[in-house]
């Protein structure tokens, strides 16, 4: 045995043995039947997270409990709830309640609704979410962007001043179908659809919406009586300056500026010292109390300062009979509901995931959609408009030390007490303070640092970001949304139809082949051209891939002739990034193969994946090419084409 081992080692070390490279065969994977292949694709598309894994090998009673917990997560975390956790939730709930009450009044006016509907929307939806939601940190209620979007879409159909009842009914109808949309997406596990709206587009859309919202508040901030109903920056600024001489109220401006400075200072203090998080959280409610008291004792409302006026006492009345389930407004309600529901969903899921990552726990996006949808469906029947996760309140909730969704219940109870006993106290609240609170709340939505980072990373992403941004501020919220979605899809199509390709060279003293533009020291093998295709090859890009490879080849042949180097004899395509190929892709390879034959150039493939090699085998292209022209690695392909070159490794 020892002698045979020594002989084998000696043979392997001989020059002849070294010049005969060992070639690994690229195996064709076992054939899968059509049903199994379909089920695998279906599972990876809709059930990639294997949601039923917890049910395996469990008793019937345990399965029933797990099923109940999957719909109502409260039955899971509620069993381990304790007094220490309640203490954290109580502080967080009271803190976000003090923030949400003045915000809700302002956001309802932003949506063109009576202020009480903003408070209603922070009572019922948070209760529903607390039982069905899986996020521990998200705070539920009306938000500025969705309120603006909903108000803009509603006003395009109905004038709230001339037809207030129809406007309100359409708002509830849109809320109902926003919830239905969210539940449908979650139930059928279609949550991946919202991922088509890129992060860059969302950053631009949110920034543009924030500026639009802030500009809309100039009516209350300056005390302007006649104000444009359009949302574009040009129309708003024209309305502002045209009323400068006779339409502004100096008392209103004094209130607005004073309290906006107060809110900004409080926010600065909270950022400087995280332990003082409660200061910027209670500042809006404190501003409302002080400004309301000031207006009441000075009777500034008689001097042109606009106030909230009467707010109805009591809890949410039923609004089921107000929802349009037939008639001309049904289709309009569905359209508005789908758009506002998708935007609300995008914001809530993004917020939930970001805070879950900070605390290192997982949330199920599809369950979140069902929870958010259920709360909006129920909300539409209890006089609420579209609610979702609020970034500002969720951030305060997180910093305040919330432990579970009980903080939403605490907030909801405070809003309930406000509705039952405190609404008359808001009668003299000036609209100016609500404008200041909303401006202060939307400032963080303008994320300049994120836009700068997007510009540095991906210029095309930056175009999507700016397209959404300028679309919102110069046209309208819905136009900005359409632009952001359109550019996101355009980017996907561009990446699919125009995949990247690269010429590979050999890293000196290794058998590694890399992009020559990334590694300038990489050298090309004489007589061999190696090209990597960085995408699946489908009908949408197959012709481009073939033509791009041929252009690479033509350019290289011209360079070779110019310096009198050996002609290209082998074209090696590195296929490890090619995850899939369809019929059009195979036809493109066949055309490339025939074209190369006419020029006495051999086509060689390196490292095709299991899906690709299977389809090449089934289509008989592998037989046409020859299995001796399909290699496991680029190094083996080069060594087979140019054995002398292997000595340099």
């Amino acid at each position: 045995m020892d002698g045979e081992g020594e002989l084998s080692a000696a043979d392997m070390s001989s020059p002849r043995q070294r010049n005969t490279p060992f070639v690994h065969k690229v195996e064709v994977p076992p054939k899968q039947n059509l049903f199994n292949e379909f089920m695998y694709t279906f599972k990876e598309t809709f059930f990639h997270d294997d949601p039923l894994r917890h049910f395996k090998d469990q008793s019937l009673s345990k399965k029933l409990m797990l099923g109940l917990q999957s719909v109502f997560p409260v039955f899971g975390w509620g069993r381990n709830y304790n007094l220490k956790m309640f203490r954290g939730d109580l502080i967080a709930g009271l803190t976000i309640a003090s923030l949400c009450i003045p915000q809700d009044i302002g956001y309802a006016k932003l949506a063109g609704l009576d202020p009480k509907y903003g408070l209603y929307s922070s009572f019922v939806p948070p209760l529903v979410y607390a039982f069905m939601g899986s996020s521990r940190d998200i705070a539920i209620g009306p938000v500025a962007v969705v309120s603006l979007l909903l108000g803009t879409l509603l006003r395009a159909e109905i004038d709230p001043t001339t037809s207030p009842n129809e406007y309100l009914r359409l708002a509830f109808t849109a809320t109902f179908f926003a919830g239905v949309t969210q539940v449908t997406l979650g139930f059928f596990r279609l949550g991946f659809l919202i991922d088509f709206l890129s992060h860059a587009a969302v950053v631009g859309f949110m920034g543009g919406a924030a500026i639009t919202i802030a500009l809309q508040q100039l009516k209350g901030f300056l005390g302007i009586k006649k104000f444009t109903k359009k949302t574009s920056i040009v129309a708003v600024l024209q309305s502002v300056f045209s009323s400068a001489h006779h339409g502004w109220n100096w008392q209103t401006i004094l209130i607005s500026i004073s309290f906006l400075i107060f809110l900004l200072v409080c926010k600065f203090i909270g950022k400087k010292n995280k332990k003082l998080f409660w200061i910027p959280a209670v500042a809006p409610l404190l501003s409302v109390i002080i400004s309301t008291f000031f207006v009441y004792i000075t009777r500034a409302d008689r001097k042109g300062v606009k106030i909230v006026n009467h707010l109805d006492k009591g809890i949410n009345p039923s609004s089921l009979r107000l929802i349009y389930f037939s008639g001309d407004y049904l289709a309009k309600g569905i359209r508005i509901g789908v758009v506002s529901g998708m935007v609300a969903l995008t914001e809530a899921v993004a917020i939930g995931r970001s805070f879950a990552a900070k605390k290192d726990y997982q949330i199920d996006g599809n369950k979140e959609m069902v929870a958010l949808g259920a709360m909006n469906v129920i909300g539409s029947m209890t006089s609420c408009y579209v609610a979702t996760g609020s970034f500002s309140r969720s951030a305060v909730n997180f910093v305040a030390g919330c432990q579970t969704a009980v903080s939403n219940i605490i907030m909801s109870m405070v809003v309930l007490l406000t509705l039952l006993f405190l609404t008359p106290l808001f009668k003299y609240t000036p609209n100016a303070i609500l404008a200041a609170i909303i401006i202060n709340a939307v400032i963080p939505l303008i994320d300049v640092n994120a836009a700068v980072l997007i510009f540095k990373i991906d210029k095309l992403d930056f175009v999507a970001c700016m397209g959404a941004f300028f679309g919102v501020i110069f046209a309208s919220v819905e136009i900005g949304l359409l632009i952001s979605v359109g550019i996101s899809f355009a980017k996907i199509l561009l990446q699919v139809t125009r995949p990247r390709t690269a010429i590979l060279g050999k890293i000196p003293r290794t058998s590694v082949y890399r992009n020559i533009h990334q590694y300038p020291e990489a050298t090309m093998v004489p007589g061999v051209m190696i090209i990597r295709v960085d995408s699946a090859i489908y009908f949408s890009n197959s012709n481009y891939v073939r033509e791009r490879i041929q252009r690479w080849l033509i350019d290289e042949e011209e360079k070779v002739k110019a310096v009198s180097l050996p002609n290209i004899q082998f074209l090696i395509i590195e296929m490890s990034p090619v995850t899939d190929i369809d019929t059009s892709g195979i036809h493109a390879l066949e055309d490339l193969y025939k074209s190369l034959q006419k020029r006495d150039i051999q086509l060689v493939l390196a490292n095709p994946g299991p899906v690709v090699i299977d389809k090449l085998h089934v289509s008989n292209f592998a037989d046409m090419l020859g299995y001796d022209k399909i290699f496991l690695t680029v190094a083996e392909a080069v060594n087979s084409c140019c054995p002398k070159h292997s000595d340099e490794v």
Side-chain angles (χ1 to χ4, degrees), residues 428-505:
Y428 291 97
T429 299
N431 290 337
I433 194 64
L434 300 178
I437 289 170
I438 292 175
I439 292 172
N440 177 65
V442 299
I443 287 175
L445 296 179
I446 307 170
D447 198 341
V448 177
N449 292 331
V452 171
L453 184 61
I454 290 168
F455 177 78
K456 292 178 179 178
I457 295 174
D458 192 323
K459 302 301 184 288
L460 193 58
D461 257 356
F462 184 74
V463 171
C465 178
M466 290 297 100
F469 177 79
F470 289 119
V472 171
I473 65 172
F474 283 109
S476 63
V477 178
E478 59 265 40
I479 294 297
L481 184 61
L482 285 173
I483 290 174
S484 61
V485 173
I487 294 178
S488 296
F489 272 101
K491 184 185 177 185
I492 294 171
L493 290 174
L494 186 62
Q495 291 175 335
V496 170
T497 59
R498 295 294 182 266
R500 294 181 183 275
T501 56
I503 297 178
L504 306 186

Side-chain angles (χ1 to χ4, degrees), residues 285-317:
L285 185 59
L286 188 61
S287 300
V288 168
I289 294 171
I290 295 172
S291 63
T292 302
F293 178 72
F294 172 78
V295 170
Y296 177 73
I297 61 172
T298 62
R299 295 317 305 261
D301 56 309
R302 296 177 180 175
K303 300 174 183 178
V305 175
K306 296 293 183 181
I307 58 175
V308 171
N309 284 318
H310 178 69
L311 268 177
D312 293 336
K313 289 176 63 176
I315 60 174
N316 306 31

Side-chain angles (χ1 to χ4, degrees), residues 72-93:
F72 300 100
V74 64
F75 288 103
W77 56 261
R79 289 180 297 176
N80 302 317
Y81 199 73
N82 53 48
L83 187 61
K84 182 179 179 181
M85 296 169 74
F86 177 73
R87 190 182 301 117
D89 287 332
L90 179 64
I91 295 171

Side-chain angles (χ1 to χ4, degrees), residues 222-254:
L222 302 174
I224 301 172
K225 295 178 180 179
K226 293 182 179 180
F227 199 72
T228 180
K229 294 180 180 179
K230 297 179 180 179
T231 60
S232 69
I233 186 172
V234 176
V236 171
L237 292 179
Q238 281 179 345
S239 183
V240 169
F241 290 115
S242 64
S243 61
H245 296 293
H246 54 83
W248 295 11
N249 181 275
W250 72 266
Q251 294 96 333
T252 301
I253 296 173
L254 180 62

Side-chain angles (χ1 to χ4, degrees), residues 557-597:
E557 285 180 327
E558 290 177 354
K559 292 179 183 178
V560 165
K561 288 180 180 179
V563 293
S564 301
L565 288 174
N567 293 332
I568 302 296
Q569 296 177 310
F570 299 94
L571 173 64
I572 300 175
I573 301 180
E574 153 69 305
M575 300 192 73
S576 54
V578 181
T579 55
D580 201 354
I581 191 170
D582 66 0
T583 307
S584 299
I586 291 172
H587 284 315
L589 288 181
E590 290 175 352
D591 292 342
L592 179 64
Y593 170 75
K594 293 174 183 177
S595 174
L596 293 176
Q597 273 192 323

Side-chain angles (χ1 to χ4, degrees), residues 332-379:
K332 295 175 181 178
I334 293 173
R335 180 178 59 83
I336 296 171
V338 169
V339 174
S340 56
M342 290 289 282
V343 173
L345 204 56
T346 302
E347 186 171 357
V349 172
I351 292 168
R353 285 174 178 170
S354 63
F355 286 107
K358 290 181 180 180
K359 286 190 177 180
D360 195 25
Y361 69 91
Q362 297 291 326
I363 64 169
D364 188 324
N366 292 293
K367 288 181 182 178
E368 282 293 285
M369 293 175 195
V370 172
L372 292 164
M375 79 179 190
N376 278 317
V377 169
I378 295 172

Side-chain angles (χ1 to χ4, degrees), residues 270-287:
K271 284 184 177 180
K272 281 293 183 181
N273 189 342
K274 296 297 183 183
K275 293 181 179 179
L276 300 177
F277 67 89
W278 55 272
I279 292 179
V282 301
L285 185 59
L286 188 61
S287 300

